[in-house]
Amino acid sequence: MDISKIELPNVGVLTTKLNENIIQELWQLVDDAKEIDEPYNKKLSGNITLSLQLKNGEKILSQILEEMTAKYQESYGIPFNYLRTGKENYITVLDSLWVNFQYQHEFNPIHKHSGGYSFVIWMKIPTHYKEQKNLPITNSSANTTSISNFAFIYSDILGVIREFVFNMSDEAEGHLLLFPAGLKHQVYPFYNCDDVRISISGNLGISISE
């Protein structure tokens, strides 16, 4: 008996490891933001100590993001319903860019972003998910995978709420994760670490091109 497998349409996410030169340029943006000191917290959902706006990120990230969004469209199509009207020529514009400084016990609740695409770049992860899940508050729990990690939240084809977790450790540093802006996600708190977790996030707006 021949049984065929049929995959139903869905979208995913893309990730890449940035080279060291790009990472160093991003660290310079972070240092510049500390000097300017323009808090960005009021525009964000995170319950974290500090977020700062980053400026001039286009020079560093434009080519990478252009390649990533082109690959995304090739892999999954256009994840924007309002563009499926015959006007599928568009360009992406970096609308916003910021850096998050997250300390222990702080978190980003479930939220989504504005625009077409969003991304996160993990710059510094001072904890390791394996150590975090072995803490007393977690090691006897039925759920040891969430603590300290980044996660997407979505409904599957049966309407069941699913969670896809990205494990956080120094191995994640330097990785960029691109996803549709409307995809809900969250960052769980970490514990027993006084150091700061640093990540850069941004939104890509969509502009119809003639």
Side-chain angles (χ1 to χ4, degrees), residues 9 12 101 119 155 176 186-187 193-194 199 204:
F101 300 90
F119 61 91
S155 299
L176 182 152
Q186 63 181 332
V187 183
C193 176
D194 293 328
S199 61
L204 294 174

Side-chain angles (χ1 to χ4, degrees), residues 34-104:
K34 290 178 181 178
E35 291 291 329
I36 298 172
D37 192 21
E38 291 185 9
Y40 207 62
N41 300 62
K42 289 185 178 181
K43 296 184 178 181
L44 304 174
S45 301
N47 296 162
I48 64 176
T49 296
L50 180 64
S51 297
L52 296 174
Q53 184 176 11
L54 297 180
K55 297 182 178 181
N56 301 317
E58 299 89 348
K59 299 177 182 178
I60 303 171
L61 295 171
S62 58
Q63 182 176 347
I64 295 167
L65 294 172
E66 183 178 342
E67 292 181 16
M68 293 284 284
T69 53
K71 182 64 175 178
Y72 195 97
Q73 181 172 337
E74 175 188 333
S75 302
Y76 302 114
I78 302 173
F80 318 115
N81 289 330
Y82 66 88
L83 284 178
R84 291 177 180 153
T85 59
K87 296 182 179 179
E88 295 190 350
N89 294 320
Y90 68 92
I91 59 174
T92 57
V93 180
L94 185 57
D95 280 343
S96 52
L97 187 68
W98 65 94
V99 57
N100 290 323
F101 300 90
Q102 179 187 358
Y103 289 88
Q104 65 171 326

